[in-house]
Every structure is written in structure tokens, then in C-alpha cells.
Amino acid sequence: MAMARVPLLLPLASLLLLLLSAALAANFDQEFDITWGDGRGKIHDNGQQLTLTLDRTSGSGFQSKHEYLFGKIDMQLKLVPGNSAGTVTAYYLSSQGSTHDEIDFEFLGNVSGEPYTLHTNVFTRGQGQREQQFRLWNNEARGVAFPRTQPMRLYSSLWNADDWATQGGRVKTDWSHAPFSASYRGFRADACVAVAGTGKTRCGASVGTEGAGGAAGDWYNQELDLTRQQRMRWVQRKYMIYNYCTDPKRYPQGLPAECSMQQ
């Protein structure tokens, strides 16, 4: 079984994936709506745990009740154990509309004993195709769009993608292992929350925890120091399996502007 704690650091901070443990618990009943799956998504333990399941008929998914503009969001994910080939557990932030912003984590399943593949993507103003691992940019001053103006909800889903997810679709979902299940706990959002109908945000609240109110957390001015930058580059060198900036066939008109900038 795999356990991943995924902090999403929205704009004004760099995006960082950490495989860690404990986080402060939140009440899923109060913070999330199960949006699809016809009963395959469930909230347990007095609101302290949420599970999504996937079978041959359907997957399932949920979304946050709040929208976030800036902030740090933590969630512990227990990924599908055993033979998870063909499955995708997606965990992402997204605004709405044709010019939406989006920050994606997608955990692609694999056969028993083999590691998950983490794919990331970022959409700005409706444009994606920025797949890579553990890296985000912030070069707005140099003309590269960044998702910082549209409040986004937090979403997650578990679904079948055996046409592409595992080894490019060569390994198919083994439905004899169904139903597959992923579970969630320890949600915390130290964030600027969009206030419905006002166009404004309320910052400094720890959403879903006891410590609401007060000043914004350390995330507000957080940047990667030299040590963390070196760690990020180490991860890229050892574990990056795809980088859109090294795929010129995907961009016949030329690579995106950020690809030519020093990261």
C-alpha cells in the first residue's frame, strides 16, 4: 500500500511534493461534496476519512465546498494497493470555464510491486500540455502566464484509464481485483478562501480545523531556498520520466517560453 501526503502550494510559493505522514484532521462532511460515482464515494469515521472506489461500471470523485486563491493545502492519500495497473487517482485544483486554471497531480497505477508514476500538469487560461514532475515556474514578469487570479476548488477522483495510464496502455486493468479503493484523511487548508458572491477572498483562515482566523501562515512568503532547489533538481535528475520542454514534436510552433528560461 502506498501513502502520499500531497501539499499543494498555490501561487506566491513553489509547488512541492513531499512523501510524509501525519497532518491535522478535518471534517470531510463540512469541507467536501462527493460529486459522482453513485455511492462509490463515502465519508467515514465521523467525517475523518473519505474513500473513493472504482469498479467496472464507474469510478467516483469529490470536490471541496470552498474555492482557494492562495494557500497551502495538505492531504494524506492512501493509494490503491496491490495491482493498480490501469487506474488513476487524480488530485487537483481547478477553476471553472473555458479559460480555467488547473494544477494537477495524477498517480498512475502499476502492477504489484512496482512504484506509482506521478504525472503533473498545469493549465493557465485554458491551456495545458505542461506535463512533468515536481516542478513549477513563476515567470509572469517575462510573459509566462501563471494561475493566480481565479479561485479554484480542490478535486479528486479515481477512474479507469487503461488505454494510456500504465506503460502507455500496454498493461490493462485486471478487474478481478476490483473494486479498487483510495482513501483520504488529514485535510488542512491554510489559505485565502473565496467569499461567495463578493469577488473577494478571506485570508489567514485554517479551513476545516480548530485554528481559524489570525494572520496568513508562513506559506504566504515562502520560496525555495538553495537547499530545496538542489533537492528538487536531484529528484528531476533521478526520477523525471517526461518533460514537456524536451518534446518539440508536441509544439510545432516552438516550445513554450518558460522552457528557454533558466529554472
Side-chain angles (χ1 to χ4, degrees), residues 16-64:
L16 183 63
L17 175 72
L18 299 173
L19 300 179
L20 297 172
S21 57
L24 293 178
N27 191 314
F28 282 95
D29 286 303
Q30 296 174 355
E31 302 298 337
F32 293 93
D33 293 315
I34 296 175
T35 51
W36 65 282
D38 194 22
R40 292 173 178 82
K42 291 182 170 61
I43 296 174
H44 313 272
D45 300 333
N46 295 317
Q48 298 305 302
Q49 185 177 36
L50 186 153
T51 58
L52 298 179
T53 58
L54 163 69
D55 57 31
R56 190 184 290 269
T57 301
S58 177
S60 50
F62 65 84
Q63 70 179 43
S64 65

Side-chain angles (χ1 to χ4, degrees), residues 84-89 106-110 117 119 159-173 241:
S84 58
T87 71
V88 173
T89 304
E106 293 184 322
F107 296 91
L108 313 184
N110 219 319
T117 296
H119 279 193
W159 47 290
N160 180 50
D162 67 2
D163 57 335
W164 66 271
T166 305
Q167 298 181 27
R170 291 189 294 274
V171 180
K172 302 300 182 182
T173 303
I241 62 172

